[in-house]
Amino acid sequence: MARPRSARAPPLVALLPPLVALAQAGVAGAAGSVRLAGGLTLGGLFPVHARGAAGRACGPLKKEQGVHRLEAMLYALDRVNADPELLPGVRLGARLLDTCSRDTYALEQALSFVQALIRGRGDGDEAAARCPGGGPPLLAAPPERVVAVVGASASSVSIMVANVLRLFAIPQISYASTAPELSDSTRYDFFSRVVPPDSYQAQAMVDIVRALGWNYVSTLASEGNYGESGVEAFVQISREAGGVCIAQSIKIPREPKPGEFSKVIRRLMETPNARGIIIFANEDDIRRVLEAARQANLTGHFLWVGSDSWGAKVSPVLNLEDVAVGAITILPKRASIDGFDQYFMSRSLENNRRNIWFAEFWEENFNCKLTGSGTLSDDSTRKCTGEERIGRDSTYEQEGKVQFVIDAVYAIAHALHSMQQDLCPGHTGLCPAMEPTDGRTLLQYIRAVRFNGSAGTPVMFNENGDAPGRYDIFQYQAANGSAGSGGYQTVGQWAEALRLDVEALQWSGDPHEVPQSQCSLPCGPGERKKMVKGVPCCWHCEACDGYRFQVDEFTCEACPRDMRPTRNHTGCRPTPVVTLTWSSPWAAPPLLLAVLGIVATTTVVATFMRHNNTPIVRASGRELSYVLLTGIFLIYAITFLMVAEPGAAVCAARRLLLGLGTTLSYSALLTKTNRIYRIFEQGKRSVTPPPFISPTSQLVITFSLTFVQVVGVLAWLGAQPPHSVIDYEEQRTVDPEQARGVLKCDMSDLSLIGCLGYSFLLMVTCTVYAIKARGVPETFNEAKPIGFTMYTTCIVWLAFVPIFFGTAQSAEKIYIQTTTLTVSLSLSASVSLGMLYVPKTYVILFHPEQNVQKRKRSLKTTSTVAAPPKGEDAEAPK
């Protein structure tokens, strides 16, 4: 279709004849129009009647949407014409038509607006016009030229009319059409509106859904431009904004079949979690959906969000209040115009003859019949007296779009005023520059207007001719006598941004808890979302278990090795560090044994030193006894190093002394048992004593054996300097709450046992010699005690190994292993001390009479076995 500038192009000329015919047919078939004389004429389109049935164009009268709105335009024209400051010298006239709520009928009516333009463009053909018989053609008086049109109401009607008016560059301003399609300035470039488009409404509804925390909703639309385009806008905006998913988009047929609405409810229940239902539907469809929800026993399940077609109307929810409770609806921000109320309630049959439909309204409004209007078919219908008054003898409430009708008239008036000021400076009335008024120029002035409308709110247009979005938000609430009245309550507003009073919202169930409309409930702390493929608003919640924590809503990660997750797994916290302390219950038994052992060892050493030259001390081998007692003392002392807090010095001392005490002890015992065994074996063959049995030789052997341990430890200290470490793996239990970092020396379990390995080798060797020397005569009085000592020591260490390694996975590992090791060391030392030296000390201290040299045995006995050197393992007094 050609642009308006190309209206004189041949394609448009070709359209003139059919358009003229349509215009003449439309005027001839019209039910009439309201005309007001004026220098500039405005057109008006109003749904005075409903759509007709059974082939009729028009149906019943629409009192509010039709007559109220038409009277609002008449009221606005009266005010403009009475204002000396607005369009001085110019009177606005009007031609107001009935669209009968049908787009095709409205198109026929609207063609009368372009008659003057069609005739003007067809004047060149009038001279050639001939009638049958050669007579001149009879031409009617030229129609008034319409400079702009106010209307229509329904979007489908406005679309149809806009396609014609743009051909003739006639600006059009709608007071009720909200379809987003009309924002397309390439197709509807002469269309403007004082109500916001549904795209703003859809944005407001998306904001409401997001504010309520809903992310999974279904849409429901009446078939047709309004419903489908509204839902399309909602879906597009929600997709762009993110965070809202559409479970289902259901369309209600234009002519629904029986059971259709029950089917709609069943389909909605296929996604029961999508409780939020976005409705762009007409009043009748809304009502029937609510009825179907009640019949399905789903009262309170659905959470309705209705568009301005629902608004604050009573008719959709009448007798269905329980199903509608909680519904949130939206309505363009409006106000009741007090001046119009006074004007309309003062209208009567006498003072309102200009409205050709007012008499019909009068009969409908007062339920009466005017005299001469026809024969009364119902005797119960009274005759109208003409004395009835609107608001007194009938209910009256201002229709919601009255404000916008007035604003549309004033927008054109202000545009014409500005155009007059610019094109006719200093001129009162119309000047030649505005006769005729150029539609394109007027459109530019319309788009530039900015004034405070009838409700005090700014009236303006954007580049697409749309008014800014301003909405009131309502919620239908149940009546509560103690807390206030029910019905529609204002709970917020939207003007480019949402302001919703959440505390004012009331819901079925818990009145102040917003119901959920979500595909999946929010994941708890420490849980991540595992998305369902293809459904961005649906997910499964997966716990961040073990040592993982929640990084964001989609990710779990493991905590660093020195940290553990918080109790709710939303972050990480340092893992507590533990070590064996002096005050620990686990340290008490080892420390007690060590203290007692040190006291006992010190007592033995002191006793031996004081009675150094007595037979018992000399017979026990003084030199090796002092070495053995030193080793026993070191074994007891290592307990304090094992309990002390690990550090470089403590760790070095542990490495050195842990094996040194046992090595020194077992080296001395091995040397003793080896000496006794060699003396016994040599005595069987010869009276010559074996070599290396002197005290000096024994000390050299003992220290040589010990030197091996010392060299190994020193090499270890040089290759790997000692230091303390915090081992977070040792007590990294399944339950992170039980996890602990262990402060310890850099010695593994194996290295610790390796440190004692040489001592164990000496212990086993000593035990072997003790077994071999078990049959020596009583002359060698230490052989059997040493044997019993080694047997017992082996039993102690055999019990130690499974306890030590069997607790490697225990949460109390550091305590159990340290206690086991120190107790085992102390027990092995106590066995040596108790079996070898406690009896001797007892005799020395409490039976000194026995600490004397006994006479020599008989020659027969001594000739059989060579006696030991003087003072070395000789028979001690008993």
Side-chain angles (χ1 to χ4, degrees):
M1 187 173 289
R3 302 284 290 176
R5 285 283 185 195
S6 61
R8 297 182 182 181
L12 185 59
V13 173
L15 287 175
L16 291 180
L19 286 174
V20 171
L22 280 172
Q24 292 172 345
V27 173
S33 61
V34 175
R35 294 175 181 265
L36 294 181
L40 294 174
T41 301
L42 305 185
L45 295 171
F46 300 93
V48 179
H49 292 86
R51 181 192 298 259
R56 298 180 57 188
C58 301
L61 182 77
K62 300 177 75 171
K63 295 193 299 182
E64 289 80 13
Q65 293 185 3
V67 177
H68 282 208
R69 295 176 183 181
L70 184 144
E71 287 290 344
M73 183 167 180
L74 295 175
Y75 165 77
L77 289 172
D78 290 345
R79 293 194 57 184
V80 169
N81 291 330
D83 188 349
E85 301 297 326
L86 189 59
L87 281 174
V90 178
R91 181 175 180 83
L92 291 181
R95 185 173 184 186
L96 312 183
L97 304 176
D98 180 10
T99 65
C100 290
S101 306
R102 187 189 296 271
D103 51 2
T104 54
Y105 183 82
L107 176 62
E108 297 175 2
Q109 295 292 298
L111 288 174
S112 64
F113 295 149
V114 300
Q115 278 183 302
L117 293 173
I118 294 175
R119 289 194 175 187
R121 289 171 179 167
D123 283 345
D125 295 331
E126 288 182 11
R130 293 288 185 271
C131 292
L138 298 176
L139 298 176
E144 63 272 67
R145 183 186 179 96
V146 174
V147 297
V149 173
V150 175
S153 177
S155 294
S156 58
V157 175
S158 290
I159 289 172
M160 187 75 79
V161 172
N163 283 320
V164 172
L165 296 183
R166 70 186 294 270
L167 295 175
F168 301 94
I170 299 178
Q172 174 188 359
I173 301 181
S174 174
Y175 50 82
S177 299
T178 58
E181 180 182 348
L182 288 165
S183 296
D184 186 354
S185 58
T186 62
R187 296 176 57 193
Y188 308 103
D189 43 350
F190 281 84
F191 178 84
S192 305
R193 48 187 161 191
V194 290
V195 289
D198 286 338
S199 55
Y200 291 156
Q201 181 176 203
Q203 178 66 66
M205 296 171 80
V206 169
D207 292 346
I208 291 171
V209 168
R210 291 166 61 93
L212 295 175
W214 300 347
N215 67 2
Y216 197 51
V217 298
S218 294
T219 62
L220 193 56
S222 292
E223 185 178 5
N225 184 270
Y226 172 80
E228 295 178 44
S229 60
V231 164
E232 182 181 352
F234 180 89
V235 172
Q236 180 178 351
I237 293 171
S238 63
R239 184 183 298 117
E240 293 172 354
V244 178
C245 297
I246 308 302
Q248 295 192 76
S249 289
I250 301 176
K251 185 189 302 182
I252 301 173
R254 195 183 302 270
E255 301 292 339
K257 299 177 182 178
E260 187 69 39
F261 291 91
S262 297
K263 180 180 177 182
V264 167
I265 296 299
R266 286 196 299 270
R267 285 192 56 190
L268 291 175
M269 286 305 296
E270 292 176 2
T271 52
N273 286 349
R275 297 179 61 190
I277 310 298
I278 311 303
I279 298 185
F280 282 84
N282 58 54
E283 296 178 33
D284 185 57
D285 286 347
I286 293 171
R287 181 173 181 82
R288 295 174 71 178
V289 167
L290 297 179
E291 289 175 345
R294 174 187 282 177
Q295 292 171 1
N297 198 26
L298 292 172
T299 299
H301 174 79
F302 295 112
L303 309 170
W304 314 103
V305 179
S307 63
D308 61 349
S309 62
W310 186 335
K313 297 174 183 175
V314 176
S315 56
V317 301
L318 187 62
N319 300 322
L320 295 168
E321 292 82 357
D322 55 335
V323 190
V325 166
I328 295 178
T329 60
I330 191 170
L331 198 60
K333 196 170 186 65
R334 63 188 185 185
S336 181
I337 310 303
D338 293 337
F340 177 78
D341 288 340
Q342 297 172 8
Y343 162 83
F344 191 74
M345 287 191 292
S346 67
R347 297 298 90 190
S348 67
L349 294 173
E350 290 78 16
N351 63 16
N352 197 24
R353 297 183 181 273
R354 61 184 179 178
N355 185 348
I356 65 172
W357 295 289
F358 195 70
E360 185 180 357
F361 165 81
W362 196 269
E363 292 180 328
E364 182 76 19
N365 192 54
F366 296 109
N367 193 25
C368 63
K369 276 291 186 179
L370 292 171
T371 304
S373 61
T375 304
L376 295 178
S377 59
D378 188 353
D379 294 338
S380 63
T381 304
R382 66 181 182 86
K383 294 182 179 180
C384 302
T385 64
E387 299 299 324
E388 296 88 357
R389 288 295 176 263
I390 299 172
R392 184 191 69 184
D393 301 314
S394 66
T395 57
Y396 165 74
E397 182 179 355
Q398 188 178 125
E399 201 274 333
K401 294 296 193 294
V402 164
Q403 167 196 340
F404 302 110
V405 175
I406 297 173
D407 288 345
V409 173
Y410 266 87
I412 297 173
H414 279 284
L416 289 170
H417 179 79
S418 299
M419 188 175 179
Q420 181 193 37
Q421 298 297 313
D422 293 344
L423 301 183
C424 309
H427 192 281
T428 300
L430 297 176
C431 65
M434 290 186 65
E435 292 183 330
T437 302
D438 181 66
R440 291 187 176 277
T441 305
L442 177 58
L443 176 65
Q444 295 174 4
Y445 281 98
I446 288 175
R447 296 290 172 82
V449 298
R450 184 183 180 94
F451 64 96
N452 287 331
S454 56
T457 55
V459 176
M460 66 190 82
F461 304 97
N462 63 13
E463 65 277 7
N464 296 323
D466 295 328
R470 290 186 292 267
Y471 296 93
D472 284 324
I473 300 169
F474 301 91
Q475 186 186 40
Y476 192 83
Q477 299 179 354
N480 189 336
S482 61
S485 60
Y488 293 101
Q489 302 295 327
T490 303
V491 294
Q493 54 185 319
W494 190 92
E496 297 183 358
L498 176 66
R499 285 182 291 177
L500 185 66
D501 186 0
V502 179
E503 295 182 356
L505 298 174
Q506 294 185 13
W507 310 92
S508 57
D510 188 340
H512 301 292
E513 182 179 353
V514 179
Q516 299 294 320
S517 182
Q518 298 177 332
C519 179
S520 303
L521 294 177
C523 292
E527 295 179 336
R528 76 176 188 94
K529 292 180 180 178
K530 187 176 182 181
M531 305 306 297
V532 176
K533 187 175 181 181
V535 188
C537 293
C538 298
W539 59 81
H540 302 297
C541 293
E542 183 180 84
C544 298
D545 53 1
Y547 287 82
R548 298 189 303 164
F549 72 101
Q550 182 184 3
V551 180
D552 52 44
E553 60 178 339
F554 301 106
T555 310
C556 293
E557 289 184 0
C559 287
R561 63 182 298 271
D562 61 339
M563 305 187 81
R564 61 177 179 169
T566 56
R567 289 185 181 275
N568 59 6
H569 289 258
T570 57
C572 294
R573 52 182 171 160
T575 301
V577 177
V578 297
T579 189
L580 187 62
T581 60
W582 300 104
S583 59
S584 172
W586 291 95
L591 290 175
L592 179 61
L593 285 175
V595 170
L596 294 177
I598 289 173
V599 171
T601 304
T602 305
T603 301
V604 171
V605 171
T607 301
F608 270 48
M609 291 181 68
R610 185 175 179 182
H611 301 86
N612 191 52
N613 293 316
T614 61
I616 290 180
V617 175
R618 293 177 63 196
S620 64
R622 289 173 296 182
E623 295 77 6
L624 284 182
S625 290
Y626 290 132
V627 172
L628 178 57
L629 288 170
T630 301
I632 291 174
F633 182 89
L634 291 177
I635 291 174
Y636 285 126
I638 193 64
T639 296
F640 295 94
L641 290 175
M642 298 302 292
V643 175
E645 181 175 341
V650 171
C651 293
R654 285 186 186 180
R655 289 192 194 181
L656 182 62
L657 299 179
L658 181 61
L660 182 59
T662 53
T663 300
L664 199 59
S665 298
Y666 296 142
S667 295
L669 288 174
L670 176 60
T671 302
K672 273 195 174 190
T673 53
N674 175 266
R675 174 177 169 274
I676 293 172
Y677 175 73
R678 287 189 296 115
I679 291 173
F680 176 69
E681 289 296 320
Q682 183 70 17
K684 291 180 179 181
R685 297 187 296 270
S686 171
V687 295
T688 304
F692 308 115
I693 60 173
S694 66
T696 302
S697 300
Q698 298 297 298
L699 289 175
V700 170
I701 294 172
T702 299
F703 287 127
S704 297
L705 293 173
T706 305
F707 184 70
V708 175
Q709 173 77 16
V710 173
V711 170
V713 171
L714 291 176
W716 184 14
L717 291 173
Q720 185 180 353
H723 61 278
S724 61
V725 296
I726 301 177
D727 188 348
Y728 291 99
E729 297 298 327
E730 182 173 304
Q731 291 195 26
R732 194 174 178 87
T733 57
V734 176
D735 181 7
E737 291 301 312
Q738 304 299 323
R740 299 291 185 271
V742 179
L743 177 62
K744 63 178 185 178
C745 292
D746 58 331
M747 295 173 64
S748 66
D749 294 346
L750 291 178
S751 63
L752 185 145
I753 299 301
C755 190
L756 295 171
Y758 182 62
S759 300
F760 291 158
L761 177 62
L762 295 176
M763 179 187 69
V764 172
T765 306
C766 184
T767 303
V768 171
Y769 274 105
I771 293 173
K772 289 182 176 183
R774 66 183 182 279
V776 299
E778 291 185 3
T779 304
F780 301 90
N781 58 353
E782 282 196 326
K784 289 183 178 180
I786 291 175
F788 286 124
T789 297
M790 299 317 299
Y791 304 152
T792 307
T793 301
C794 288
I795 293 173
V796 169
W797 288 110
L798 286 174
F800 160 78
V801 173
I803 296 175
F804 186 87
F805 287 101
T807 59
Q809 302 301 322
S810 171
E812 306 291 341
K813 172 184 175 181
I814 181 176
Y815 307 116
I816 297 176
Q817 289 190 341
T818 303
T819 301
T820 302
L821 176 62
T822 54
V823 168
S824 298
L825 288 168
S826 296
L827 287 177
S828 64
S830 299
V831 168
S832 299
L833 184 65
M835 290 190 174
L836 297 178
Y837 293 105
V838 169
K840 294 180 174 63
T841 304
Y842 175 78
V843 171
I844 292 172
L845 294 178
F846 299 105
H847 296 282
E849 73 278 3
Q850 297 183 12
N851 189 15
V852 294
Q853 185 73 33
K854 293 183 66 176
R855 62 180 180 86
K856 299 292 185 178
R857 292 182 179 276
S858 63
L859 294 175
K860 181 178 179 181
T861 304
T862 56
S863 64
T864 305
V865 180
K870 183 180 179 180
E872 299 297 329
D873 288 321
E875 185 177 313
K878 296 184 181 178

